[in-house]
Amino acid sequence: MIQTVRIALARPLRKLFDYSLPEGVAVCPGQRVRIPFGRQSLIGLVVETQVEPPEGIQLKPVQAVLEDWPLLPDETRKLMHWASAYYQHPLGECLFMALPPALRRGRPAALRKQPHWTITEDGRQAKLPPQAHKQQALLHWLENQGKPCSLSDFKTAGFSADQVKRLASKAMLTEVEDDQREAARETASTATLPALTAAQQVAFSELPPIEKGFNCSLLYGITGSGKTEIYLHYIQQYLGTDQQALVMVPEINLTPQTVRRFQRYFGARIAVWHSALNDSERLQSWLRVRNGEPVIVIGTRSAVTLPFSDLAMIVVDEEHDTSFKQGEGFRYSGRDMAVFRAHQNNCPIILGSATPSIESYHNATSGKYHLIRLEERAGPAVLPTIRLLDIRSRPLEGGLSAPALKAVGERINKGEQVLVYVNRRGFAPVMMCFDCGHISECPRCDSRLTYHRRERAMRCHHCDYQTAAVNTCPKCQSEAYKPVGQGTERAEDILSTGFPDTPVIRVDRDSTRTKGSIDRILGQVNSGDPCILVGTQMLAKGHDFPNVSLVVVVNADGGLFSVDFRAPEQLIQTLLQVSGRAGRGTIPGTVLIQTCHSDHPLLQQLCTGSYLDMAQTLLDERAGARFPPYRAMALLRAEAETMGESLAFLDGVKQVIQLQPQQATPQTDTGIETWGPLPAVIARRADRHRAHLVFVADQRRTLQRVLGPLCQQLETQRQPRGLKWQIDIDPLETG
Ligand code: ADP
Ligand code: ZN
Ligand code: ZN
């Protein structure tokens, strides 16, 4: 009897495909197959077996079964099925997203044997010349590891393949055969964890042991309180030597320090997962997880989809960070999927943050999550004092007021470090003609062109448009064509001029584009010598700079009056996170926030209250306005060649929703509200006209019940040429 199987493809189609299996071949869900598809041959994943064959149709047979074991284990498959239904995203794309690119393309799922290196006696004795300090550092590092390391270990620690090769050629390193699996099982490290402080001990004791099963703890620990230390202890205390753990962090390449901290204690058990890995590194990490090695994965949001077979705990660090949510295509939240996964796996999960998201805080107050408070900094450090600096009638120089510059000078003179936070990269957000009023605008977007002085370029931060900077107004040729507003480059210039003897280090997407630049910058800061850091959001994230004693926020007002209901939350999170970089060592820190609205209640509360009080205020406001988390929200985004087409499409959808028969019973349903359609805040981006329609419902179920069939219907409907739509569940941006 010929068997029929149902296959998912990596296509944006809400549809599966049936094939027949050749005689004598058996498969199970999760297995990878090759199938004929039109004139192509594609990789597919088995979703269902023993499907009822269709009558009267001759199905095409599966061409090949790629492994005799399921590439996606049951648990990961179920997670992706859930995510597909929850986020209304095609199942095929969801399942394939859980595979590394090499396996999506059909590469064999086999671990390449990785050569490992150990240090030789020559290496131990080596005294390399100063210009080879990186090689010397590598030797030193390897010696401390106390075990053979692979190329990917070296890379994670910030060394290059080239350095390894050079040292090997000098016989300071030697290659050894090494079975990875065994290597990982060893407790690799000799380092012992520092003892927890009394406050940390109290917080730690509130974390449930693994045997308690699923449990979500929200660890509210102020900046510098030692949340990472708690994670390390938790893993050490509870993770079995054969078990796997997942630690999720935002944008890992920004915090190589964190990875190193974990490596110091857990050595080869650490596997990393982030976007800077190349395809074969990804494949290696993925297969280590799939092979059941007892790894501790440190990874960014997509690490939540890795094929764990014995996942015993999950940590989501900086759980409020918006980078956990994917901003396009499959718009999932890595944090929310992690909570689901922990539940599905019946294992504990810790969400940690100094500024928990309003959603998580709400779950903690409603008893769904267990709130643990850690409100003391570790060691001698204390929280910095936050002061508002009203700049309404003060002259500014590169965005900085005289009192702010004076404060910077005082700290530098004392040999301390200063961090200046500017929320925009480039020199100035706009060029303006003071004669005719002309403003530099992107020809493809409804947005302004940012002036980048270093590259003499005008750039759009919303599309990839770029043009050469000019000195005279393009419209009237006036020479009064001037930069307006603040960017990191401008602050850098002012500070370099004002403090010629102090290094000024700019940290933004432009200055960190090249590999290793972050490492270099961190190295310089960690040397402890006086310096001024100027940068964007990037500087706010999780860094530990013990000598920074002053933080200056150039302008705090952007988020105060935004149309987006999440803007105030994101503003105070950013301000507190940046502030948290001050005073982490022995020197008490100060934060100066420049603002034109020093009487704004939110900013006032920032100086005096605790974050949780502010979170409560924001939560109350959300309750009053019936915003999430009090109602479920989804956004249907559309873009087309004209705004008319986008709006017409969304209007059509709105009518369909309103005509939907009431399928639910009165007890469960209060219906769906729609807002809009409205043009997006940046209505035209890269010459596409964008609009959206918001859905809100009291019950998530109601939303799911309507959106599922709606997406199916939209997919099969003929749409105007060039029209694209996307659904966004629990949107973070509603503008
Ligand atoms: P958080 O993640 O909460 O901001 P970290 O875990 O980065 O804080 O800790 C802040 C600093 O305090 C780090 O330099 C860390 O090494 C140090 N620290 C934290 N806890 C301890 C401890 N128990 N003993 C010694 N140092 C600690
Ligand atoms: Zn002009
Ligand atoms: Zn543009």
Side-chain angles (χ1 to χ4, degrees):
M1 157 95 188
I2 289 179
Q3 283 237 27
T4 305
V5 288
R6 196 152 283 169
I7 309 283
L9 298 176
R11 294 273 155 125
L13 298 170
R14 287 168 175 77
K15 195 172 162 188
L16 299 167
F17 301 86
D18 289 352
Y19 285 83
S20 67
L21 268 186
E23 202 79 50
V25 176
V27 291
C28 66
Q31 265 182 262
R32 198 162 57 138
V33 292
R34 189 172 276 287
I35 46 128
F37 191 80
R39 262 182 256 158
Q40 293 168 286
S41 159
L42 298 180
I43 301 292
L45 282 166
V46 178
V47 170
E48 224 181 304
T49 56
Q50 292 172 342
V51 176
E52 193 68 43
E55 255 172 67
I57 301 174
Q58 183 82 41
L59 290 175
K60 287 191 184 159
V62 164
Q63 287 168 333
V65 178
L66 273 67
E67 291 87 18
D68 55 6
W69 47 280
L71 200 54
L72 278 188
D74 273 357
E75 195 241 5
T76 313
R77 224 163 32 78
K78 285 188 189 132
L79 173 75
M80 299 323 286
H81 274 266
W82 173 82
S84 162
Y86 184 91
Y87 292 107
Q88 306 291 348
H89 196 79
L91 179 64
E93 285 199 331
C94 292
L95 291 171
F96 273 84
M97 191 232 143
L99 295 181
L103 297 184
R104 287 177 212 163
R105 289 195 306 264
R107 282 241 313 248
L111 269 179
R112 211 167 9 94
K113 213 163 166 62
Q114 277 210 24
H116 280 61
W117 279 271
T118 50
I119 188 164
T120 61
E121 201 44 43
D122 280 359
R124 258 181 260 271
Q125 306 296 341
K127 293 227 166 15
L128 297 174
Q131 65 271 24
H133 69 277
K134 250 324 224 207
Q135 291 177 35
Q136 187 78 62
L138 189 156
L139 290 174
H140 186 68
W141 176 83
L142 184 60
E143 193 170 6
N144 279 337
Q145 298 301 300
K147 64 183 312 327
C149 288
S150 68
L151 212 48
S152 65
D153 297 334
F154 287 116
K155 281 193 184 156
T156 326
F159 302 109
S160 68
D162 195 47
Q163 288 155 354
V164 173
K165 252 189 248 149
R166 275 162 205 262
L167 287 167
S169 71
K170 295 181 214 160
M172 292 175 180
L173 300 185
T174 175
E175 210 177 310
V176 287
E177 289 292 319
D178 197 339
D179 183 54
Q180 281 222 352
R181 213 178 161 113
E182 283 315 308
R185 220 173 287 269
E186 273 171 48
T187 39
S189 169
T190 48
T192 46
L193 289 173
L196 293 176
T197 64
Q200 288 169 345
Q201 190 58 52
V202 172
F204 182 78
S205 66
E206 283 189 55
L207 291 170
I210 289 186
E211 307 84 74
K212 280 270 175 65
F214 173 70
N215 219 300
C216 184
S217 307
L218 179 61
L219 174 59
Y220 163 64
I222 61 169
T223 52
S225 59
K227 290 180 290 297
T228 314
E229 222 61 59
I230 295 201
Y231 310 145
L232 289 165
H233 275 262
Y234 189 74
I235 294 171
Q236 192 193 44
Q237 172 122 7
Y238 294 114
L239 189 70
T241 50
D242 277 331
Q243 291 179 310
Q244 301 173 316
L246 169 61
V247 179
M248 290 170 62
V249 293
E251 295 162 54
I252 208 165
N253 34 351
L254 300 182
T255 50
Q257 294 180 95
T258 309
V259 175
R260 258 171 247 158
R261 239 163 118 183
F262 276 83
Q263 273 175 337
R264 204 175 313 143
Y265 303 108
F266 301 110
R269 277 186 83 172
I270 301 299
V272 292
W273 182 263
H274 54 87
S275 58
L277 298 183
N278 64 32
D279 279 3
S280 50
E281 289 166 333
R282 265 171 193 257
L283 179 62
Q284 294 288 320
S285 284
W286 193 91
L287 288 172
R288 285 183 70 188
V289 176
R290 180 66 187 95
N291 289 348
E293 278 186 39
V295 288
I296 300 165
V297 174
I298 307 195
T300 46
R301 65 174 175 244
S302 62
V304 76
T305 66
L306 286 171
F308 295 100
S309 47
D310 195 4
L311 184 59
M313 57 173 72
I314 304 179
V315 171
V316 183
D317 190 26
E318 313 288 4
E319 67 88 29
H320 66 279
D321 198 287
T322 50
S323 76
F324 283 122
K325 170 109 186 189
Q326 176 135 305
E328 55 192 23
F330 176 27
R331 293 172 177 259
Y332 67 101
S333 153
R335 175 199 64 205
D336 294 350
M337 276 180 73
V339 174
F340 176 84
R341 189 159 196 176
H343 187 258
Q344 171 186 271
N345 240 314
N346 198 27
C347 76
I349 176 166
I350 305 172
L351 307 181
S353 175
T355 53
S357 63
I358 299 300
E359 274 74 11
S360 297
Y361 174 67
H362 176 247
N363 283 329
T365 54
S366 70
K368 241 172 108 177
Y369 297 172
H370 174 51
L371 181 66
I372 300 174
R373 304 164 75 129
L374 179 56
E375 292 172 284
E376 260 176 43
R377 278 195 161 177
V382 289
L383 266 191
T385 332
I386 303 182
R387 288 204 349 247
L388 301 179
L389 196 59
D390 204 303
I391 50 169
R392 249 171 296 193
S393 52
R394 288 184 200 276
L396 300 178
E397 227 188 310
L400 289 156
S401 63
L405 284 168
K406 184 161 165 267
V408 173
E410 282 167 9
R411 295 293 180 165
I412 295 303
N413 287 339
K414 283 197 214 156
E416 296 163 17
Q417 298 176 335
V418 174
L419 189 157
V420 176
Y421 170 72
V422 188
N423 62 3
R424 196 185 294 256
R425 67 199 162 89
F427 187 82
V430 61
M431 291 287 284
M432 191 173 99
C433 173
F434 285 76
D435 276 331
C436 78
H438 172 83
I439 277 176
S440 56
E441 278 176 345
C442 176
R444 310 172 59 205
C445 306
D446 291 336
S447 75
R448 275 114 192 233
L449 291 177
T450 301
Y451 174 42
H452 287 255
R453 189 148 116 180
R454 306 284 178 273
E455 287 100 353
R456 301 277 313 141
M458 302 296 295
R459 277 198 198 138
C460 174
H461 289 185
H462 300 283
C463 71
D464 49 16
Y465 181 82
Q466 168 162 333
T467 177
V470 288
N471 297 326
T472 52
C473 171
K475 206 166 147 206
C476 75
Q477 275 69 50
S478 158
E479 292 193 351
Y481 191 52
K482 297 268 152 62
V484 178
Q486 314 316 327
T488 46
E489 290 181 1
R490 191 175 216 173
E492 182 189 18
D493 285 0
I494 291 300
L495 290 160
S496 306
T497 315
F499 305 97
D501 303 326
T502 310
V504 176
I505 308 164
R506 181 163 55 91
V507 185
D508 56 25
R509 204 137 41 92
D510 302 317
S511 75
T512 54
R513 234 178 271 277
T514 56
K515 220 178 152 144
S517 48
I518 283 267
D519 261 316
R520 242 188 341 272
I521 289 167
L522 295 179
Q524 190 168 358
V525 180
N526 289 331
S527 75
D529 297 336
C531 66
I532 303 172
L533 284 157
V534 181
T536 54
Q537 291 268 6
M538 268 191 175
L539 277 178
K541 292 190 178 183
H543 299 292
D544 196 26
F545 303 135
N547 283 338
V548 169
S549 61
L550 172 69
V551 167
V552 178
V553 175
V554 166
N555 192 325
D557 301 343
L560 285 176
F561 306 100
S562 162
V563 289
D564 194 326
F565 75 94
R566 289 186 199 273
E569 173 190 357
Q570 282 161 8
L571 174 70
I572 58 170
Q573 285 168 346
T574 306
L575 290 179
L576 279 176
Q577 293 289 345
V578 192
S579 303
R581 300 315 117 204
R584 293 170 75 95
T586 47
I587 321 154
T590 306
V591 179
L592 291 179
I593 299 179
Q594 298 193 139
T595 171
C596 291
H597 304 278
S598 57
D599 43 3
H600 195 288
L602 205 57
L603 293 181
Q604 291 281 333
Q605 217 179 359
L606 193 73
C607 301
T608 51
S610 87
Y611 175 77
L612 292 191
D613 296 335
M614 282 181 270
Q616 187 60 51
T617 308
L618 293 176
L619 190 59
D620 292 343
E621 281 171 20
R622 300 264 191 101
R626 314 271 303 120
F627 276 131
Y630 293 95
R631 283 201 284 181
M633 185 181 271
L635 204 70
L636 181 63
R637 300 172 191 275
E639 54 168 70
E641 274 153 35
T642 65
M643 184 51 77
E645 278 173 330
S646 288
L647 291 174
F649 166 78
L650 294 171
D651 256 325
V653 171
K654 185 175 174 134
Q655 265 156 39
V656 173
I657 294 288
Q658 283 164 349
L659 294 177
Q660 287 252 342
Q662 288 288 310
Q663 303 147 315
T665 64
Q667 292 91 336
T668 60
D669 199 343
T670 44
I672 290 188
E673 228 175 82
T674 50
W675 305 342
L678 282 173
V681 171
I682 296 173
R684 184 174 53 110
R685 179 186 279 181
D687 276 328
R688 307 275 298 160
H689 294 261
R690 309 149 69 230
H692 59 249
L693 179 66
V694 182
F695 306 106
V696 276
D698 284 355
Q699 306 282 330
R700 187 169 288 287
R701 278 196 296 279
T702 316
L703 213 52
Q704 300 283 26
R705 201 162 34 222
V706 174
L707 292 183
L710 175 72
C711 291
Q712 285 283 359
Q713 188 187 333
L714 293 179
E715 186 177 295
T716 47
Q717 253 171 24
R718 261 187 91 87
Q719 307 297 356
R721 252 189 59 154
L723 186 131
K724 284 203 184 118
W725 59 272
Q726 265 188 359
I727 194 93
D728 186 353
I729 306 289
D730 307 331
L732 281 191
E733 294 156 53
T734 48

